[in-house]
Amino acid sequence: MLGAILGLGGGIIVIPVLTMLLGVDIRFAIGASLVSVIATSSGAAAAYVRERMTNLRVAMLLEIGTTSGALTGAFIATHMRSRWLFIVFGIIMAYSALMMYRRRSHELVTEVKPDRIADFLRLHDSYYDESIGETIHYRVTRPTLGLGLMYIAGVVSGMLGIGSGSLKVPAMDLGMRLPIKVSTATSNFMIGVTAAASAGVYMMRGEIRPFIAAPVAGGVMIGAIVGSRVLGKLKSHRIRLLFAVVLTWVSLSMLWKGVYGQ
Amino acid sequence: MTSIQEPPPAFEQVHDERVVKVEIAISNLLRIGVAVSLLFIVIGTVLMFLHHPEYRHSGRTLQHLIGPGTETVDATPFRTMIQGIRNAEGRSVITLGLMLLIATPVVRVAVSVLAFVYQGDRVFVGITTLVFCLLLVSFFLGKAEG
């Protein structure tokens, strides 16, 4: 529920709850979380695409990076011991907390350096911004840098079963100079496809357990539907601050568990 | 969807009317996919409790289901699932729901390939096909290794 609001896949909340509170094996928690990431993405993407915020061309290009990264990540995870998964997860979580705390509130409108590849692929687009009531045209730059960053985001996603939206949004926003709203919508669309790539591996390996994934997926889907209506009206600044504090705390306890064992 | 409030079209060559229609169709498809899979998951859960009334009373039995290493890894998840559905096993119906859910983004990418073919955009037909192949590879690799 919180995931859809904050532009994350929700896995960053699901995994600690399953492993720390319910004592589920971290590998099964990852499998269940991937399913919930897909649910969040497919549910919310439907609305975003209709508003034409998502840049499909950019999304598809970058998916090459994220899906191949996700495959790599899913394989690294099998050959890694559980305690290392906890440690990596703790680090990524701390990073997410930092990003959430520092997220910019206004847009930077700057000149973008012309990029030959971006021109060739016709990545530039426009979107209709409801808050100021006009159509904004934007240009995209440095697609190769974006592709590289997306590969890393994909590895993290496949390894930990999270959407890693916290890595994707800055890659598009700061790296490729997409407007923040477009970055968030595009990231949300992409996490579903990325998660599907690693979910395929986990499913075939038998690490998506019906009895763990079913309540998680059900809860997330219902939460996404209800949450997007209710929470949209709350002050997002306060939510972010509170959430950043919670994430930091959980990240520290995950690290503790990884370093000192059970 | 009857009330479509589309913002004024810009960049006509990219966003013409037909493309918009395709996009709306895709997003509706996604929603239906999510809704149907949720339905299967709920039905499966209900079936499970009907077949195993003891789960309702005993938290420990439920805990046993989600604990580590309680089930052997299923080498043929698909075949087991089909058999299970014939017997109206809750577990298999849930698995079907989960598989549908995982399939929604894959279908989404497949539809995008067609959309780019329709627009005559060869470069993006290539890019999207590559993404689609990577997704398919993930299923086969997971199976080969598992």
Side-chain angles (χ1 to χ4, degrees):
Chain A
M1 175 156 108
L2 279 164
I5 309 296
L6 298 161
L8 299 171
I12 208 132
I13 315 161
V14 168
I15 292 180
V17 168
L18 284 178
T19 54
M20 310 289 279
L21 294 179
L22 299 174
V24 172
D25 188 310
I26 191 165
R27 288 174 208 283
F28 300 157
I30 290 172
S33 166
L34 281 171
V35 173
S36 77
V37 168
I38 296 172
T40 314
S41 169
S42 293
Y48 279 127
V49 170
R50 213 175 49 229
E51 286 162 33
R52 293 216 213 124
M53 293 266 209
T54 308
N55 187 328
L56 271 184
R57 302 172 76 86
V58 168
M60 281 303 168
L61 176 69
L62 297 180
E63 289 289 316
I64 297 176
T66 56
T67 45
S68 50
L71 287 177
T72 317
F75 280 98
I76 294 175
T78 1
H79 302 293
M80 223 160 57
R81 300 194 24 214
S82 288
R83 63 187 315 179
W84 280 102
L85 289 177
F86 274 102
I87 292 172
V88 178
F89 197 90
I91 293 168
I92 296 292
M93 250 184 132
Y95 167 79
S96 295
L98 190 73
M99 286 309 297
M100 198 157 295
Y101 181 67
R102 289 183 30 173
R103 184 169 284 184
R104 293 200 321 258
S105 50
H106 57 91
E107 304 244 317
L108 275 176
V109 184
T110 45
E111 270 305 302
V112 169
K113 252 201 267 172
D115 185 286
R116 280 226 315 273
I117 302 171
D119 288 343
F120 175 68
L121 295 173
R122 290 190 288 130
L123 297 179
H124 318 299
D125 203 353
S126 62
Y127 76 101
Y128 180 75
D129 195 321
E130 236 174 66
S131 63
I132 45 176
E134 52 185 279
T135 304
I136 294 176
H137 295 260
Y138 59 89
R139 299 180 66 79
V140 179
T141 188
R142 290 184 290 195
T144 37
L145 172 77
L147 210 55
L149 290 174
M150 287 304 163
Y151 178 77
I152 298 169
V155 172
V156 171
S157 171
M159 202 156 78
L160 304 176
I162 58 175
S164 70
S166 52
L167 296 173
K168 289 189 175 88
V169 173
M172 281 187 274
D173 169 31
L174 301 175
M176 297 173 70
R177 292 303 171 93
L178 270 76
I180 185 79
K181 286 186 179 172
V182 178
S183 303
T184 312
T186 308
S187 158
N188 187 70
F189 165 66
M190 287 170 59
I191 58 174
V193 181
T194 314
S198 24
V201 178
Y202 283 88
M203 182 107 209
M204 288 304 170
R205 223 193 260 150
E207 286 181 352
I208 294 183
R209 292 295 161 94
F211 296 124
I212 304 170
V216 171
V220 165
M221 278 189 266
I222 294 163
I225 297 162
V226 179
S228 60
R229 293 188 189 167
V230 181
L231 278 180
K233 289 167 190 154
L234 297 176
K235 284 242 164 88
S236 62
H237 182 73
R238 291 250 174 85
I239 302 173
R240 278 198 188 124
L241 188 65
L242 177 76
F243 203 63
V245 174
V246 175
L247 277 186
T248 313
W249 183 76
V250 179
S251 131
L252 287 175
S253 47
M254 288 280 246
L255 280 174
W256 184 270
K257 192 168 178 178
V259 175
Y260 293 102
Q262 312 303 314
Chain B
M1 290 296 135
T2 44
S3 65
I4 302 158
Q5 293 177 325
E6 290 297 336
F11 279 26
E12 265 78 11
Q13 71 271 39
V14 182
H15 273 154
D16 64 33
E17 269 311 301
R18 289 177 306 179
V19 178
V20 172
K21 272 187 191 157
V22 171
E23 283 181 359
I24 292 171
I26 291 172
S27 63
N28 285 335
L29 189 81
L30 277 177
R31 268 197 210 157
I32 294 167
V34 172
V36 170
S37 59
L38 181 61
L39 191 71
F40 276 117
I41 290 170
V42 170
I43 292 174
T45 311
V46 171
L47 278 175
M48 184 187 84
F49 279 107
L50 285 178
H51 284 291
H52 305 276
E54 70 271 18
Y55 292 163
R56 257 178 303 178
H57 311 296
S58 159
R60 186 169 293 174
T61 329
L62 268 184
Q63 189 65 42
H64 178 72
L65 282 175
I66 62 169
T70 48
E71 294 165 41
T72 47
V73 173
D74 193 347
T76 57
F78 204 72
R79 200 175 300 164
T80 319
M81 185 188 80
I82 302 285
Q83 263 173 8
I85 289 169
R86 287 219 186 102
N87 304 332
E89 271 175 36
R91 186 190 135 90
S92 303
V93 179
I94 294 174
T95 310
L96 179 67
L98 294 175
M99 277 188 169
L100 270 177
L101 192 58
I102 295 172
T104 49
V106 183
V107 173
R108 165 108 190 62
V109 173
V111 172
S112 302
V113 176
L114 296 179
F116 284 122
V117 169
Y118 188 61
Q119 290 172 44
D121 192 330
R122 280 196 189 166
V123 180
F124 267 86
V125 170
I127 289 173
T128 318
T129 309
L130 179 60
V131 173
F132 184 65
C133 291
L134 282 169
L135 285 171
L136 290 185
V137 162
S138 80
F139 286 90
F140 289 112
L141 281 185
K143 189 154 181 67
E145 194 203 28

